[in-house]
Amino acid sequence: QVYSNVTTTCSLFTNSLLIFILFAAQLKHVGHYRWILLSFAVMDILITIIHFLVFPAIHMTEFGYIFWGYSMLDKSSSIGTFGLMCWILLFYQSFIILAFHFVYRYVA
């Protein structure tokens, strides 16, 4: 729990600082790349919050993956399913933003 609290705090602080710098400083050499950086920061904040709330676990079996949230075990199955679906969505969203990053760097 201590590790989760520390990493959540660090992630929220550093990503919020990056968002502040992106809006406060007029970095001409960054250009449109600022929007990809902003997307990464916002997505990381969202996935950090949902990870902290759900505390997900994954178990691979012979028929697929089983996902559960340690902090959702005492909640109803619909709340647990919603929390884990949000975590999975945000987890894969980071790969989509990474793909946009590679395309942007290739074009630029």
Side-chain angles (χ1 to χ4, degrees):
Q1 190 69 27
V2 172
Y3 176 77
S4 180
N5 291 342
V6 169
T7 55
T8 299
T9 303
C10 288
S11 176
L12 293 176
F13 175 74
T14 56
N15 284 298
S16 298
L17 182 62
L18 176 60
I19 291 171
F20 174 75
I21 290 170
L22 287 173
F23 282 115
Q26 296 299 322
L27 306 172
K28 300 294 184 201
H29 64 281
V30 175
H32 293 295
Y33 192 65
R34 126 185 3 243
W35 300 112
I36 292 178
L37 290 175
L38 180 66
S39 300
F40 272 117
V42 169
M43 188 56 54
D44 195 41
I45 287 173
L46 291 175
I47 199 165
T48 298
I49 290 170
I50 198 75
H51 191 279
F52 181 78
L53 294 175
V54 173
F55 205 74
I58 304 168
H59 180 70
M60 189 174 89
T61 66
E62 59 193 30
F63 57 86
Y65 294 102
I66 299 173
F67 293 94
W68 73 91
Y70 282 113
S71 62
M72 298 285 170
L73 292 176
D74 60 341
K75 309 281 191 281
S76 70
S77 61
S78 61
I79 293 173
T81 301
F82 179 75
L84 284 170
M85 293 303 285
C86 288
W87 181 78
I88 292 168
L89 172 79
L90 292 173
F91 181 81
Y92 285 109
Q93 187 67 29
S94 61
F95 293 114
I96 293 169
I97 294 173
L98 188 61
F100 281 124
H101 170 259
F102 287 133
V103 169
Y104 177 86
R105 297 299 294 169
Y106 177 77
V107 170

